[in-house]
Amino acid sequence: MVDFRYFSVMNVFLFCFPEGDVKDFMNLIPGYEYNYWSCSVARLDYSGTGVISRVKPISVQYGIGIAEHDQEGRVITLEFENFYLVNAYVPNSGRGLRRLVYRVDNWDPSFADFVEKLESFKPVIVCGDLNCARQSIDIHNPPAKTEDAGFTEEERESFQINFDMRGFVDTFRKQHPKAVGYTFWGENQRRNNKGVGGWITFLRQDPSSTGSMIRTSSRT
């Protein structure tokens, strides 16, 4: 459930929704005239992304230009004067890791190539649910989670290759290297209210834009 009271006091020019039935969020916050959302056409109510903005973007792109990956409404890219903003909901590997191979062998490289192509024109900011706790500090009880979606060796290695080694900066971890916080809780964690989970939602900047690092904090 989104608490729109929080939005009303934030002096920012846009908000990104990386997951959910985002059409329900449109036109609910005064002052955010420009609304963009995408949803899955492959499966009803399965996935979606949305962006609401005070500022009109120069252009908007839905998806990454590959039909295989663009059926689930997972990426919206807004172009502004000085940067691209990419809001993404990366596929979860799922129960039993049934989508693990698709995610690490197909989606991750394709998405990284898409972002890299944008970088050839202007700086890029990637935000959203990237569905990977890339460090042990990013998840509660890491030794017990190595076979869980979002923390497998394959996913973390793919994350390192496709994001870290290409120079993108995790703005939260850069500014708060020892902070413990979570953006995701499993069903049992939510039900038991233990306050433990995983950090899988990121805001990342490419190297050309880190001279003006975006200030990042966690509100969980």
Side-chain angles (χ1 to χ4, degrees), residues 9-172:
V9 300
M10 295 291 289
N11 185 27
V12 297
F13 80 91
L14 62 79
F15 288 100
C16 296
F17 301 94
E19 179 180 0
D21 195 4
V22 296
K23 65 180 182 297
D24 293 336
F25 300 151
M26 303 298 101
N27 301 314
L28 292 179
I29 308 175
Y32 292 85
E33 179 180 356
Y34 305 101
N35 306 318
Y36 308 95
W37 63 276
S38 182
C39 63
S40 173
V41 297
R43 177 177 166 188
L44 185 64
D45 295 330
Y46 177 58
S47 56
T49 48
V51 181
I52 58 176
S53 176
R54 296 183 188 272
V55 179
K56 184 178 181 179
I58 296 171
S59 66
V60 179
Q61 178 177 341
Y62 298 92
I64 61 175
I66 301 176
E68 177 187 8
H69 304 317
D70 290 344
Q71 302 300 306
E72 298 179 352
R74 292 186 176 276
V75 179
I76 298 178
T77 301
L78 275 61
E79 178 187 4
F80 294 98
E81 181 178 0
N82 297 316
F83 66 94
Y84 287 102
L85 173 77
V86 180
N87 183 31
Y89 175 26
V90 171
N92 189 292
S93 293
R95 293 181 180 178
L97 304 178
R98 59 184 178 82
R99 300 192 83 184
L100 176 62
V101 173
Y102 164 71
R103 188 250 168 91
V104 301
D105 289 350
N106 294 289
W107 169 273
D108 284 356
S110 296
F111 180 60
D113 287 344
F114 169 75
V115 172
E116 191 169 61
K117 183 177 180 179
L118 293 177
E119 286 183 78
S120 66
F121 298 101
K122 61 180 69 174
V124 179
I125 297 170
V126 177
C127 68
D129 184 348
L130 302 191
N131 259 317
C132 182
R134 70 186 187 94
Q135 298 182 30
S136 294
I137 194 175
D138 295 327
I139 196 167
H140 174 71
N141 192 15
K145 304 292 177 58
T146 56
E147 298 300 320
D148 289 0
F151 195 61
T152 64
E153 181 179 349
E154 293 88 346
E155 288 165 307
R156 286 180 287 151
E157 181 179 346
S158 176
F159 200 100
Q160 181 180 17
I161 292 171
N162 290 294
F163 292 98
D164 294 343
M165 292 178 63
R166 296 196 189 204
F168 266 70
V169 177
D170 178 349
T171 62
F172 177 82

